[in-house]
Amino acid sequence: LVYTNNGSSITVIETSGADWKTAYHTYTPAQIASYVPRCPNPSIVSGGCGFTPPANDECADAVTLTPGTTCNGISGDIAGATQSYPASGCPSGLIQDVWYKFTAPSTGNYSITLMPSSGMDGVVEARSGSCTGTVVGCADIGGGNGFPENLTVAATNGTTYYVRIYEYNNDGITTPPATTSFTICVTGSS
C-alpha cells in the first residue's frame, strides 16, 4: 500500500493478494478516514494481515444449513475470508467468500435468504452436487448495502447444494465492505 497526498485528494496504490494486479484509487480526505486496506491472501503473503479466516472460508468446510418452514437465520461473516474460485454465475470481481450447504429432504423449491449488514452488498450463489458443481442460481438484486437477497433453487431430493456468500464488487476496488456480517437461512419443501 502506497499513497500520495496533495492536500485535496489522496491516491492509494494497492496490489491484490489474489493476483498481484495493481489498482489506483483516489479519495478525498473524508473518504480516506474510513479506508480499510485490502488484506493480501495469506497463502501468498507470509503472515497475511492478522485476520483468521472464518471456519467456512473454503467450500470443503461449508457450514450445514437445515431447511425449515420459517427462516431461522444463522450468523455469518466474510471478515478475513479469501477467494475460493473466480466468480461465476453472478457479476462480481469477487474478493472474499464463505460457504454453506444444505441437502434437500424432498424435491421442491427452496429459498436461500441472505440478510447482509448495513455496509455489505451481499451476493448468493448456489451450486449443485459439489463445490465446483453447476451454478444453479445467483441472487444480486442490485439494491446495495443492507438489502436482502433471495435465491430460489428447484432442488432434487437428496441432492446437496453448496451456497457461496460474498460481497458484490464489480468495480475492481479491493477493500472489504464497511461491514462484513450477515444472517442466512433456507426455507422450503419438507
Side-chain angles (χ1 to χ4, degrees):
L1 171 68
V2 178
Y3 74 93
T4 57
N5 183 351
N6 70 8
S8 62
S9 68
I10 300 164
T11 301
V12 176
I13 306 167
E14 296 181 289
T15 59
S16 166
D19 56 16
W20 296 104
K21 292 181 180 173
T22 302
Y24 298 82
H25 304 287
T26 302
Y27 302 94
T28 66
Q31 291 170 321
I32 201 72
S34 62
Y35 173 79
V36 179
R38 159 105 167 94
C39 178
N41 183 332
S43 66
I44 296 173
V45 178
S46 178
C49 293
F51 292 110
T52 301
N56 58 338
D57 183 39
E58 298 301 329
C59 184
D61 300 313
V63 170
T64 300
L65 299 170
T66 303
T69 56
T70 60
C71 182
N72 295 313
I74 64 169
S75 297
D77 205 308
I78 61 169
T82 59
Q83 179 175 333
S84 302
Y85 306 109
S88 70
C90 280
S92 182
L94 184 63
I95 296 174
Q96 301 161 309
D97 59 16
V98 290
W99 292 85
Y100 295 84
K101 66 182 177 181
F102 73 94
T103 300
S106 63
T107 297
N109 289 329
Y110 291 82
S111 179
I112 304 163
T113 303
L114 173 69
M115 294 156 284
S117 52
S118 63
M120 180 181 173
D121 184 1
V123 179
V124 179
E125 178 184 292
R127 294 170 178 256
S128 177
S130 72
C131 297
T132 57
T134 302
V135 175
V136 295
C138 158
D140 180 22
I141 62 167
N145 292 344
F147 281 83
E149 300 290 348
N150 290 293
L151 173 62
T152 299
V153 174
T156 303
N157 180 36
T159 300
T160 299
Y161 295 87
Y162 291 83
V163 180
R164 180 160 69 157
I165 304 300
Y166 53 92
E167 162 77 0
Y168 175 78
N169 175 29
N170 207 32
D171 55 10
I173 295 175
T174 58
T175 54
T179 60
T180 57
S181 61
F182 57 87
T183 303
I184 186 173
C185 69
V186 177
T187 56
S189 297
S190 56

PDB file of all heavy atoms in Angstrom, residues 36-73:
ATOM      1  N   VAL A  36     -10.052   1.106   4.517  1.00  0.00           N
ATOM      2  CA  VAL A  36      -9.521  -0.130   5.089  1.00  0.00           C
ATOM      3  C   VAL A  36      -8.728  -0.824   3.999  1.00  0.00           C
ATOM      4  O   VAL A  36      -9.284  -1.188   2.968  1.00  0.00           O
ATOM      5  CB  VAL A  36     -10.651  -1.060   5.578  1.00  0.00           C
ATOM      6  CG1 VAL A  36     -10.077  -2.349   6.138  1.00  0.00           C
ATOM      7  CG2 VAL A  36     -11.513  -0.361   6.600  1.00  0.00           C
ATOM      8  N   PRO A  37      -7.416  -1.017   4.167  1.00  0.00           N
ATOM      9  CA  PRO A  37      -6.634  -1.668   3.116  1.00  0.00           C
ATOM     10  C   PRO A  37      -7.041  -3.125   2.924  1.00  0.00           C
ATOM     11  O   PRO A  37      -7.456  -3.784   3.866  1.00  0.00           O
ATOM     12  CB  PRO A  37      -5.188  -1.574   3.597  1.00  0.00           C
ATOM     13  CG  PRO A  37      -5.230  -1.021   4.955  1.00  0.00           C
ATOM     14  CD  PRO A  37      -6.616  -0.612   5.292  1.00  0.00           C
ATOM     15  N   ARG A  38      -6.914  -3.586   1.709  1.00  0.00           N
ATOM     16  CA  ARG A  38      -7.209  -4.981   1.353  1.00  0.00           C
ATOM     17  C   ARG A  38      -6.151  -5.864   1.988  1.00  0.00           C
ATOM     18  O   ARG A  38      -4.963  -5.585   1.917  1.00  0.00           O
ATOM     19  CB  ARG A  38      -7.166  -5.132  -0.165  1.00  0.00           C
ATOM     20  CG  ARG A  38      -6.961  -6.555  -0.613  1.00  0.00           C
ATOM     21  CD  ARG A  38      -8.231  -7.143  -1.145  1.00  0.00           C
ATOM     22  NE  ARG A  38      -7.987  -8.380  -1.850  1.00  0.00           N
ATOM     23  CZ  ARG A  38      -8.080  -9.566  -1.289  1.00  0.00           C
ATOM     24  NH1 ARG A  38      -8.366  -9.682  -0.025  1.00  0.00           N
ATOM     25  NH2 ARG A  38      -7.889 -10.654  -1.999  1.00  0.00           N
ATOM     26  N   CYS A  39      -6.589  -6.937   2.599  1.00  0.00           N
ATOM     27  CA  CYS A  39      -5.665  -7.896   3.179  1.00  0.00           C
ATOM     28  C   CYS A  39      -5.198  -8.845   2.090  1.00  0.00           C
ATOM     29  O   CYS A  39      -6.012  -9.513   1.463  1.00  0.00           O
ATOM     30  CB  CYS A  39      -6.360  -8.688   4.280  1.00  0.00           C
ATOM     31  SG  CYS A  39      -5.297  -9.929   5.020  1.00  0.00           S
ATOM     32  N   PRO A  40      -3.897  -8.943   1.828  1.00  0.00           N
ATOM     33  CA  PRO A  40      -3.416  -9.904   0.836  1.00  0.00           C
ATOM     34  C   PRO A  40      -3.751 -11.328   1.238  1.00  0.00           C
ATOM     35  O   PRO A  40      -3.904 -11.633   2.404  1.00  0.00           O
ATOM     36  CB  PRO A  40      -1.901  -9.700   0.837  1.00  0.00           C
ATOM     37  CG  PRO A  40      -1.690  -8.367   1.447  1.00  0.00           C
ATOM     38  CD  PRO A  40      -2.827  -8.158   2.411  1.00  0.00           C
ATOM     39  N   ASN A  41      -3.857 -12.176   0.270  1.00  0.00           N
ATOM     40  CA  ASN A  41      -4.130 -13.582   0.507  1.00  0.00           C
ATOM     41  C   ASN A  41      -3.006 -14.155   1.377  1.00  0.00           C
ATOM     42  O   ASN A  41      -1.856 -14.161   0.973  1.00  0.00           O
ATOM     43  CB  ASN A  41      -4.194 -14.303  -0.842  1.00  0.00           C
ATOM     44  CG  ASN A  41      -4.550 -15.760  -0.705  1.00  0.00           C
ATOM     45  OD1 ASN A  41      -4.276 -16.393   0.307  1.00  0.00           O
ATOM     46  ND2 ASN A  41      -5.161 -16.292  -1.742  1.00  0.00           N
ATOM     47  N   PRO A  42      -3.324 -14.650   2.601  1.00  0.00           N
ATOM     48  CA  PRO A  42      -2.276 -15.131   3.493  1.00  0.00           C
ATOM     49  C   PRO A  42      -1.491 -16.315   2.945  1.00  0.00           C
ATOM     50  O   PRO A  42      -0.394 -16.589   3.390  1.00  0.00           O
ATOM     51  CB  PRO A  42      -3.011 -15.501   4.775  1.00  0.00           C
ATOM     52  CG  PRO A  42      -4.439 -15.306   4.533  1.00  0.00           C
ATOM     53  CD  PRO A  42      -4.641 -14.702   3.183  1.00  0.00           C
ATOM     54  N   SER A  43      -2.054 -17.020   1.956  1.00  0.00           N
ATOM     55  CA  SER A  43      -1.296 -18.135   1.393  1.00  0.00           C
ATOM     56  C   SER A  43      -0.223 -17.642   0.427  1.00  0.00           C
ATOM     57  O   SER A  43       0.686 -18.368   0.079  1.00  0.00           O
ATOM     58  CB  SER A  43      -2.232 -19.116   0.670  1.00  0.00           C
ATOM     59  OG  SER A  43      -2.802 -18.508  -0.459  1.00  0.00           O
ATOM     60  N   ILE A  44      -0.325 -16.394  -0.006  1.00  0.00           N
ATOM     61  CA  ILE A  44       0.673 -15.804  -0.904  1.00  0.00           C
ATOM     62  C   ILE A  44       1.639 -14.921  -0.111  1.00  0.00           C
ATOM     63  O   ILE A  44       2.832 -14.936  -0.327  1.00  0.00           O
ATOM     64  CB  ILE A  44      -0.002 -14.977  -2.018  1.00  0.00           C
ATOM     65  CG1 ILE A  44      -0.848 -15.892  -2.909  1.00  0.00           C
ATOM     66  CG2 ILE A  44       1.024 -14.238  -2.862  1.00  0.00           C
ATOM     67  CD1 ILE A  44      -1.671 -15.159  -3.924  1.00  0.00           C
ATOM     68  N   VAL A  45       1.096 -14.149   0.821  1.00  0.00           N
ATOM     69  CA  VAL A  45       1.910 -13.231   1.610  1.00  0.00           C
ATOM     70  C   VAL A  45       2.063 -13.814   3.010  1.00  0.00           C
ATOM     71  O   VAL A  45       1.091 -13.956   3.733  1.00  0.00           O
ATOM     72  CB  VAL A  45       1.261 -11.831   1.680  1.00  0.00           C
ATOM     73  CG1 VAL A  45       2.092 -10.907   2.529  1.00  0.00           C
ATOM     74  CG2 VAL A  45       1.070 -11.264   0.288  1.00  0.00           C
ATOM     75  N   SER A  46       3.258 -14.159   3.384  1.00  0.00           N
ATOM     76  CA  SER A  46       3.513 -14.761   4.682  1.00  0.00           C
ATOM     77  C   SER A  46       2.982 -13.869   5.794  1.00  0.00           C
ATOM     78  O   SER A  46       3.293 -12.695   5.865  1.00  0.00           O
ATOM     79  CB  SER A  46       5.015 -14.983   4.861  1.00  0.00           C
ATOM     80  OG  SER A  46       5.272 -15.530   6.127  1.00  0.00           O
ATOM     81  N   GLY A  47       2.139 -14.438   6.645  1.00  0.00           N
ATOM     82  CA  GLY A  47       1.601 -13.688   7.780  1.00  0.00           C
ATOM     83  C   GLY A  47       0.295 -12.994   7.495  1.00  0.00           C
ATOM     84  O   GLY A  47      -0.429 -12.655   8.406  1.00  0.00           O
ATOM     85  N   GLY A  48      -0.063 -12.784   6.225  1.00  0.00           N
ATOM     86  CA  GLY A  48      -1.329 -12.132   5.909  1.00  0.00           C
ATOM     87  C   GLY A  48      -1.465 -10.803   6.610  1.00  0.00           C
ATOM     88  O   GLY A  48      -0.511 -10.055   6.723  1.00  0.00           O
ATOM     89  N   CYS A  49      -2.644 -10.508   7.094  1.00  0.00           N
ATOM     90  CA  CYS A  49      -2.919  -9.233   7.778  1.00  0.00           C
ATOM     91  C   CYS A  49      -3.377  -9.447   9.201  1.00  0.00           C
ATOM     92  O   CYS A  49      -3.968  -8.571   9.810  1.00  0.00           O
ATOM     93  CB  CYS A  49      -3.988  -8.452   7.026  1.00  0.00           C
ATOM     94  SG  CYS A  49      -3.447  -7.898   5.416  1.00  0.00           S
ATOM     95  N   GLY A  50      -3.134 -10.620   9.740  1.00  0.00           N
ATOM     96  CA  GLY A  50      -3.514 -10.866  11.122  1.00  0.00           C
ATOM     97  C   GLY A  50      -4.940 -11.344  11.293  1.00  0.00           C
ATOM     98  O   GLY A  50      -5.367 -11.583  12.409  1.00  0.00           O
ATOM     99  N   PHE A  51      -5.719 -11.463  10.216  1.00  0.00           N
ATOM    100  CA  PHE A  51      -7.075 -11.975  10.321  1.00  0.00           C
ATOM    101  C   PHE A  51      -7.041 -13.490  10.266  1.00  0.00           C
ATOM    102  O   PHE A  51      -6.288 -14.078   9.504  1.00  0.00           O
ATOM    103  CB  PHE A  51      -7.944 -11.494   9.148  1.00  0.00           C
ATOM    104  CG  PHE A  51      -8.227 -10.032   9.155  1.00  0.00           C
ATOM    105  CD1 PHE A  51      -7.661  -9.215   8.200  1.00  0.00           C
ATOM    106  CD2 PHE A  51      -9.065  -9.474  10.105  1.00  0.00           C
ATOM    107  CE1 PHE A  51      -7.921  -7.858   8.190  1.00  0.00           C
ATOM    108  CE2 PHE A  51      -9.331  -8.125  10.102  1.00  0.00           C
ATOM    109  CZ  PHE A  51      -8.756  -7.308   9.139  1.00  0.00           C
ATOM    110  N   THR A  52      -7.868 -14.105  11.067  1.00  0.00           N
ATOM    111  CA  THR A  52      -8.050 -15.546  10.972  1.00  0.00           C
ATOM    112  C   THR A  52      -9.237 -15.780  10.057  1.00  0.00           C
ATOM    113  O   THR A  52     -10.315 -15.251  10.310  1.00  0.00           O
ATOM    114  CB  THR A  52      -8.333 -16.151  12.360  1.00  0.00           C
ATOM    115  OG1 THR A  52      -7.229 -15.850  13.207  1.00  0.00           O
ATOM    116  CG2 THR A  52      -8.550 -17.641  12.279  1.00  0.00           C
ATOM    117  N   PRO A  53      -9.066 -16.552   8.991  1.00  0.00           N
ATOM    118  CA  PRO A  53     -10.196 -16.803   8.101  1.00  0.00           C
ATOM    119  C   PRO A  53     -11.331 -17.496   8.850  1.00  0.00           C
ATOM    120  O   PRO A  53     -11.095 -18.266   9.786  1.00  0.00           O
ATOM    121  CB  PRO A  53      -9.623 -17.716   7.017  1.00  0.00           C
ATOM    122  CG  PRO A  53      -8.149 -17.540   7.085  1.00  0.00           C
ATOM    123  CD  PRO A  53      -7.847 -17.204   8.512  1.00  0.00           C
ATOM    124  N   PRO A  54     -12.575 -17.259   8.429  1.00  0.00           N
ATOM    125  CA  PRO A  54     -13.697 -17.965   9.046  1.00  0.00           C
ATOM    126  C   PRO A  54     -13.562 -19.476   8.837  1.00  0.00           C
ATOM    127  O   PRO A  54     -12.919 -19.924   7.882  1.00  0.00           O
ATOM    128  CB  PRO A  54     -14.923 -17.438   8.302  1.00  0.00           C
ATOM    129  CG  PRO A  54     -14.469 -16.261   7.512  1.00  0.00           C
ATOM    130  CD  PRO A  54     -12.991 -16.345   7.373  1.00  0.00           C
ATOM    131  N   ALA A  55     -14.189 -20.259   9.696  1.00  0.00           N
ATOM    132  CA  ALA A  55     -14.116 -21.716   9.595  1.00  0.00           C
ATOM    133  C   ALA A  55     -14.639 -22.228   8.258  1.00  0.00           C
ATOM    134  O   ALA A  55     -14.187 -23.247   7.762  1.00  0.00           O
ATOM    135  CB  ALA A  55     -14.899 -22.359  10.743  1.00  0.00           C
ATOM    136  N   ASN A  56     -15.579 -21.505   7.639  1.00  0.00           N
ATOM    137  CA  ASN A  56     -16.167 -21.923   6.364  1.00  0.00           C
ATOM    138  C   ASN A  56     -15.612 -21.120   5.186  1.00  0.00           C
ATOM    139  O   ASN A  56     -16.285 -20.934   4.170  1.00  0.00           O
ATOM    140  CB  ASN A  56     -17.692 -21.824   6.416  1.00  0.00           C
ATOM    141  CG  ASN A  56     -18.201 -20.434   6.742  1.00  0.00           C
ATOM    142  OD1 ASN A  56     -17.489 -19.614   7.310  1.00  0.00           O
ATOM    143  ND2 ASN A  56     -19.440 -20.168   6.394  1.00  0.00           N
ATOM    144  N   ASP A  57     -14.359 -20.701   5.289  1.00  0.00           N
ATOM    145  CA  ASP A  57     -13.688 -19.947   4.228  1.00  0.00           C
ATOM    146  C   ASP A  57     -13.568 -20.768   2.944  1.00  0.00           C
ATOM    147  O   ASP A  57     -13.662 -20.242   1.850  1.00  0.00           O
ATOM    148  CB  ASP A  57     -12.309 -19.498   4.710  1.00  0.00           C
ATOM    149  CG  ASP A  57     -11.563 -18.654   3.703  1.00  0.00           C
ATOM    150  OD1 ASP A  57     -12.202 -17.821   3.026  1.00  0.00           O
ATOM    151  OD2 ASP A  57     -10.342 -18.821   3.590  1.00  0.00           O
ATOM    152  N   GLU A  58     -13.358 -22.066   3.080  1.00  0.00           N
ATOM    153  CA  GLU A  58     -13.240 -22.950   1.921  1.00  0.00           C
ATOM    154  C   GLU A  58     -14.474 -23.838   1.822  1.00  0.00           C
ATOM    155  O   GLU A  58     -15.068 -24.216   2.836  1.00  0.00           O
ATOM    156  CB  GLU A  58     -11.974 -23.799   2.024  1.00  0.00           C
ATOM    157  CG  GLU A  58     -10.693 -22.984   2.037  1.00  0.00           C
ATOM    158  CD  GLU A  58     -10.493 -22.108   0.814  1.00  0.00           C
ATOM    159  OE1 GLU A  58     -10.958 -22.469  -0.293  1.00  0.00           O
ATOM    160  OE2 GLU A  58      -9.881 -21.029   0.958  1.00  0.00           O
ATOM    161  N   CYS A  59     -14.843 -24.191   0.619  1.00  0.00           N
ATOM    162  CA  CYS A  59     -16.037 -24.980   0.376  1.00  0.00           C
ATOM    163  C   CYS A  59     -16.026 -26.313   1.112  1.00  0.00           C
ATOM    164  O   CYS A  59     -17.056 -26.778   1.594  1.00  0.00           O
ATOM    165  CB  CYS A  59     -16.224 -25.189  -1.126  1.00  0.00           C
ATOM    166  SG  CYS A  59     -17.750 -26.057  -1.528  1.00  0.00           S
ATOM    167  N   ALA A  60     -14.872 -26.938   1.227  1.00  0.00           N
ATOM    168  CA  ALA A  60     -14.775 -28.229   1.914  1.00  0.00           C
ATOM    169  C   ALA A  60     -15.233 -28.128   3.374  1.00  0.00           C
ATOM    170  O   ALA A  60     -15.598 -29.133   3.986  1.00  0.00           O
ATOM    171  CB  ALA A  60     -13.342 -28.753   1.854  1.00  0.00           C
ATOM    172  N   ASP A  61     -15.237 -26.908   3.922  1.00  0.00           N
ATOM    173  CA  ASP A  61     -15.638 -26.683   5.303  1.00  0.00           C
ATOM    174  C   ASP A  61     -16.980 -25.957   5.394  1.00  0.00           C
ATOM    175  O   ASP A  61     -17.256 -25.252   6.375  1.00  0.00           O
ATOM    176  CB  ASP A  61     -14.558 -25.868   6.026  1.00  0.00           C
ATOM    177  CG  ASP A  61     -13.221 -26.584   6.026  1.00  0.00           C
ATOM    178  OD1 ASP A  61     -13.186 -27.788   6.333  1.00  0.00           O
ATOM    179  OD2 ASP A  61     -12.203 -25.949   5.684  1.00  0.00           O
ATOM    180  N   ALA A  62     -17.823 -26.123   4.390  1.00  0.00           N
ATOM    181  CA  ALA A  62     -19.125 -25.442   4.349  1.00  0.00           C
ATOM    182  C   ALA A  62     -19.949 -25.765   5.595  1.00  0.00           C
ATOM    183  O   ALA A  62     -19.998 -26.911   6.049  1.00  0.00           O
ATOM    184  CB  ALA A  62     -19.884 -25.853   3.091  1.00  0.00           C
ATOM    185  N   VAL A  63     -20.596 -24.743   6.142  1.00  0.00           N
ATOM    186  CA  VAL A  63     -21.475 -24.884   7.295  1.00  0.00           C
ATOM    187  C   VAL A  63     -22.822 -25.421   6.802  1.00  0.00           C
ATOM    188  O   VAL A  63     -23.369 -24.933   5.809  1.00  0.00           O
ATOM    189  CB  VAL A  63     -21.661 -23.528   8.015  1.00  0.00           C
ATOM    190  CG1 VAL A  63     -22.751 -23.601   9.074  1.00  0.00           C
ATOM    191  CG2 VAL A  63     -20.348 -23.057   8.621  1.00  0.00           C
ATOM    192  N   THR A  64     -23.355 -26.409   7.507  1.00  0.00           N
ATOM    193  CA  THR A  64     -24.631 -27.012   7.107  1.00  0.00           C
ATOM    194  C   THR A  64     -25.804 -26.143   7.536  1.00  0.00           C
ATOM    195  O   THR A  64     -25.895 -25.719   8.688  1.00  0.00           O
ATOM    196  CB  THR A  64     -24.774 -28.425   7.717  1.00  0.00           C
ATOM    197  OG1 THR A  64     -23.693 -29.235   7.244  1.00  0.00           O
ATOM    198  CG2 THR A  64     -26.095 -29.054   7.345  1.00  0.00           C
ATOM    199  N   LEU A  65     -26.696 -25.880   6.580  1.00  0.00           N
ATOM    200  CA  LEU A  65     -27.953 -25.185   6.835  1.00  0.00           C
ATOM    201  C   LEU A  65     -29.063 -26.234   6.812  1.00  0.00           C
ATOM    202  O   LEU A  65     -29.035 -27.144   5.977  1.00  0.00           O
ATOM    203  CB  LEU A  65     -28.231 -24.142   5.758  1.00  0.00           C
ATOM    204  CG  LEU A  65     -27.221 -23.016   5.603  1.00  0.00           C
ATOM    205  CD1 LEU A  65     -27.501 -22.207   4.337  1.00  0.00           C
ATOM    206  CD2 LEU A  65     -27.250 -22.109   6.829  1.00  0.00           C
ATOM    207  N   THR A  66     -30.036 -26.097   7.708  1.00  0.00           N
ATOM    208  CA  THR A  66     -31.160 -27.025   7.740  1.00  0.00           C
ATOM    209  C   THR A  66     -32.399 -26.305   7.219  1.00  0.00           C
ATOM    210  O   THR A  66     -32.830 -25.313   7.821  1.00  0.00           O
ATOM    211  CB  THR A  66     -31.411 -27.532   9.172  1.00  0.00           C
ATOM    212  OG1 THR A  66     -30.205 -28.142   9.652  1.00  0.00           O
ATOM    213  CG2 THR A  66     -32.553 -28.525   9.215  1.00  0.00           C
ATOM    214  N   PRO A  67     -32.955 -26.769   6.091  1.00  0.00           N
ATOM    215  CA  PRO A  67     -34.166 -26.121   5.573  1.00  0.00           C
ATOM    216  C   PRO A  67     -35.317 -26.226   6.571  1.00  0.00           C
ATOM    217  O   PRO A  67     -35.481 -27.260   7.237  1.00  0.00           O
ATOM    218  CB  PRO A  67     -34.486 -26.917   4.299  1.00  0.00           C
ATOM    219  CG  PRO A  67     -33.196 -27.566   3.919  1.00  0.00           C
ATOM    220  CD  PRO A  67     -32.501 -27.849   5.216  1.00  0.00           C
ATOM    221  N   GLY A  68     -36.084 -25.147   6.682  1.00  0.00           N
ATOM    222  CA  GLY A  68     -37.229 -25.125   7.578  1.00  0.00           C
ATOM    223  C   GLY A  68     -38.419 -24.469   6.919  1.00  0.00           C
ATOM    224  O   GLY A  68     -38.335 -23.984   5.786  1.00  0.00           O
ATOM    225  N   THR A  69     -39.531 -24.433   7.632  1.00  0.00           N
ATOM    226  CA  THR A  69     -40.727 -23.776   7.102  1.00  0.00           C
ATOM    227  C   THR A  69     -40.699 -22.277   7.375  1.00  0.00           C
ATOM    228  O   THR A  69     -41.392 -21.521   6.715  1.00  0.00           O
ATOM    229  CB  THR A  69     -42.001 -24.405   7.702  1.00  0.00           C
ATOM    230  OG1 THR A  69     -41.909 -24.332   9.129  1.00  0.00           O
ATOM    231  CG2 THR A  69     -42.160 -25.853   7.263  1.00  0.00           C
ATOM    232  N   THR A  70     -39.892 -21.870   8.356  1.00  0.00           N
ATOM    233  CA  THR A  70     -39.689 -20.451   8.625  1.00  0.00           C
ATOM    234  C   THR A  70     -38.184 -20.172   8.609  1.00  0.00           C
ATOM    235  O   THR A  70     -37.372 -21.077   8.787  1.00  0.00           O
ATOM    236  CB  THR A  70     -40.266 -20.028   9.997  1.00  0.00           C
ATOM    237  OG1 THR A  70     -39.607 -20.778  11.018  1.00  0.00           O
ATOM    238  CG2 THR A  70     -41.768 -20.253  10.054  1.00  0.00           C
ATOM    239  N   CYS A  71     -37.831 -18.918   8.427  1.00  0.00           N
ATOM    240  CA  CYS A  71     -36.423 -18.523   8.356  1.00  0.00           C
ATOM    241  C   CYS A  71     -35.853 -18.394   9.766  1.00  0.00           C
ATOM    242  O   CYS A  71     -36.162 -17.443  10.481  1.00  0.00           O
ATOM    243  CB  CYS A  71     -36.280 -17.197   7.595  1.00  0.00           C
ATOM    244  SG  CYS A  71     -34.570 -16.652   7.410  1.00  0.00           S
ATOM    245  N   ASN A  72     -35.046 -19.368  10.149  1.00  0.00           N
ATOM    246  CA  ASN A  72     -34.321 -19.320  11.418  1.00  0.00           C
ATOM    247  C   ASN A  72     -32.859 -19.100  11.064  1.00  0.00           C
ATOM    248  O   ASN A  72     -32.081 -20.048  10.958  1.00  0.00           O
ATOM    249  CB  ASN A  72     -34.518 -20.610  12.212  1.00  0.00           C
ATOM    250  CG  ASN A  72     -35.955 -20.791  12.643  1.00  0.00           C
ATOM    251  OD1 ASN A  72     -36.573 -19.866  13.144  1.00  0.00           O
ATOM    252  ND2 ASN A  72     -36.505 -21.974  12.412  1.00  0.00           N
ATOM    253  N   GLY A  73     -32.511 -17.836  10.855  1.00  0.00           N
ATOM    254  CA  GLY A  73     -31.189 -17.486  10.350  1.00  0.00           C
ATOM    255  C   GLY A  73     -30.050 -17.805  11.295  1.00  0.00           C
ATOM    256  O   GLY A  73     -30.208 -17.781  12.508  1.00  0.00           O
TER     257      GLY A  73
END
